Structure formats: C-alpha cells, structure tokens
Amino acid sequence: MRRLKRLAGEAACDYVKDGMVVGLGTGSTVHYTIKKLGRMVGGGLRVIGIPTSIKSENLARQCKIPLSSLHEHPNVDISIDGADEVDPKLNLIKGMGGALVREKIVASVSRRLIIVIDDAKQVSRLGSKSPVPVEVLPFGWSTVLKRLEKLGMEVELRKSRKIPFVSDNGNYILDCRVKEISSPKRLESRLNNIPGVVENGLFVNLTNLVLVGTDMGLKTVR
Ligand code: 5RP
C-alpha cells in the first residue's frame, strides 16, 4: 500500500515546472510528493508552495520548500492532493485526513488539480466505501447532525482519543454515510446549504488528472 502511494505521490512531481505556485495537499500519499518536491528544490527547482494543512506546512518547511499564502499568491498553477474515493468522472470524496476545507479552497483556485491515490481508492460510485466528511462549526453541531440524519444519512461525530476531532480551522467533522449518491453535485450544494456547515468533502468537477499507484505500475486517468 505504502509502495503504491509513493509511486503515485512522487510521479506527480513530474508535472511541477520551474516558477510554479503549487498547492500542497494533505495525507500519506501527498507526503511523498512533498518530500520529493523538497529534494527537487534542493536541486535548484524554484517553486512556491501553498500548504492545505498545518501538517503539510510543517513537512514542507522541514523539506525547505518556500511557502506562501493565497493572499499573496491567489492563483495556483497546480495542486497535488490525495483522495479517499475517486469515481469514473474524477469526482472525489476527500477529508478523511480532516483538511477538506483548505484543500477545497486551494483546489478551487488551481489551474490544474492532480490527485494521487493507490488503486483501492477507485470506486464506481462515490460513497461505496468512504463516508462524506462534513466540517461544521462546533456551535450547534448536534443540530446539524440531526438535519443530516433527516436527509437519510448515518452520521457520526469524528473523534480522536474519545474527544471530538478538531480541524485546523477549529471546527468539528461529521462523517456521513450515504446510501446512494446519485448526484454528487446536488448533494454537495444540499449539504453546504445547512446553516452551520462550513464545507463538505465532495469535490465535483475540480480534478484534471488522477495518478493511480497499482501493482502493475503507474496508471494515469484523465
Ligand atoms: C485529507 C484528505 C486526504 O487527501 C485523503 O484523506 C487521502 O489521504 P491518504 O493519502 O492518507 O490516503 O482528503 O483531508
């Protein structure tokens, strides 16, 4: 598994060119991207990274990748990120690593979004394996949970060591199991319409390219 993540994560660096502003995603696959990018920077590549989480920011700093913010660099040339599920239309579920809000903001201003996964993440329909993470304000979280249950979902407050998991933005995450996601776009806006919801992990029509690590080698899906 780690080998496949590494294969995809490192392959994404081939798409990074000198002078680019690069969105740095979050997770164990992009970990390999950031590390390789660090080695490329050590070899003379000039890039500016926009991290999507404190974890990725810390790793990028360790790797000596110059960093900036969306305020200073509002246009991102390329973003590289992981995913929890990818469907045949390249729509995604993201956020099991808890960084979905910043990831979606950075993806939304990126000219290109490259997703790096191992082949266990490819599904024929979103929601087959992963819940849809929904980031909510701590104020009124249980009210939002009830609203989501009324939509027919099985909802769980994400916990870390028995207490609520808190995102980099200071929010909670509700993991929502959905029986059947027939329209990811419709569900995405429906979820975001609930007062108290900050953002959800459905990424629709944002991805340009998926690099998949498989036992047979690297697979590219456009
Ligand atoms: C974090 C994410 C991650 O990209 C996603 O969970 C995949 O992670 P990994 O590469 O560790 O499997 O969306 O919010």
Side-chain angles (χ1 to χ4, degrees), residues 5 26-30 81-84 94-100 103 121:
K5 288 187 177 206
T26 298
S28 55
T29 316
V30 164
D81 207 341
D84 302 298
K94 285 184 51 53
M96 292 314 284
L100 63 117
E103 288 171 338
K121 307 278 188 65

Side-chain angles (χ1 to χ4, degrees), residues 132-193:
V132 178
V134 178
E135 183 155 332
V136 297
L137 293 178
F139 180 86
W141 69 269
S142 55
T143 307
V144 178
L145 183 146
K146 284 182 201 122
R147 292 278 298 268
L148 293 166
E149 282 179 339
K150 278 200 181 135
L151 293 179
M153 303 177 191
E154 224 174 81
V155 189
E156 213 177 301
L157 176 66
R158 188 179 297 181
K159 297 216 169 132
S160 166
R161 296 196 194 100
K162 294 192 179 160
I163 57 167
F165 169 87
V166 177
S167 75
D168 286 352
N169 313 308
N171 297 320
Y172 291 170
I173 291 184
L174 299 175
D175 287 314
C176 304
R177 293 233 162 248
V178 191
K179 270 191 213 103
E180 198 182 296
I181 303 179
S182 45
S183 166
K185 186 76 215 158
R186 209 170 330 127
L187 182 59
E188 184 191 22
S189 26
R190 224 168 160 193
L191 294 173
N192 284 356
N193 254 337

Side-chain angles (χ1 to χ4, degrees), residues 32-219:
Y32 293 111
T33 311
I34 297 175
K35 286 222 146 174
K36 180 157 182 204
L37 216 49
R39 295 196 290 277
M40 288 162 71
V41 166
L45 178 81
R46 290 164 305 165
V47 290
I48 291 170
I50 310 286
T52 55
S53 62
I54 294 171
K55 209 168 174 187
S56 291
E57 180 177 341
N58 290 339
L59 178 63
R61 280 195 201 289
Q62 267 175 35
C63 296
K64 301 201 166 38
I65 299 173
L67 298 178
S68 184
S69 63
L70 281 184
H71 182 61
E72 280 166 6
H73 290 88
N75 301 310
V76 177
D77 293 300
I78 191 169
S79 276
I80 302 168
D81 207 341
D84 302 298
E85 282 188 358
V86 178
D87 79 4
K89 291 186 174 159
L90 308 192
N91 293 324
L92 320 170
I93 291 181
K94 285 184 51 53
M96 292 314 284
L100 63 117
V101 177
R102 296 187 191 191
E103 288 171 338
K104 204 187 260 193
I105 295 172
V106 173
S108 74
V109 293
S110 297
R111 271 202 301 121
R112 257 186 129 187
L113 174 63
I114 298 188
I115 294 298
V116 288
I117 53 169
D118 61 72
D119 53 3
K121 307 278 188 65
Q122 285 187 296
V123 295
S124 53
R125 196 178 266 240
L126 291 183
S128 319
K129 296 179 180 173
S130 173
V132 178
V134 178
E135 183 155 332
V136 297
L137 293 178
F139 180 86
W141 69 269
S142 55
T143 307
V144 178
L145 183 146
K146 284 182 201 122
R147 292 278 298 268
L148 293 166
E149 282 179 339
K150 278 200 181 135
L151 293 179
M153 303 177 191
E154 224 174 81
V155 189
E156 213 177 301
L157 176 66
R158 188 179 297 181
K159 297 216 169 132
S160 166
R161 296 196 194 100
K162 294 192 179 160
I163 57 167
F165 169 87
V166 177
S167 75
D168 286 352
N169 313 308
N171 297 320
Y172 291 170
I173 291 184
L174 299 175
D175 287 314
C176 304
R177 293 233 162 248
V178 191
K179 270 191 213 103
E180 198 182 296
I181 303 179
S182 45
S183 166
K185 186 76 215 158
R186 209 170 330 127
L187 182 59
E188 184 191 22
S189 26
R190 224 168 160 193
L191 294 173
N192 284 356
N193 254 337
I194 300 172
V197 168
V198 178
E199 189 50 84
N200 69 80
L202 287 164
F203 282 50
V204 182
N205 296 335
L206 286 172
T207 307
N208 302 98
L209 185 74
V210 181
L211 300 177
V212 191
T214 80
D215 281 326
M216 315 290 284
L218 186 75
K219 197 169 85 181

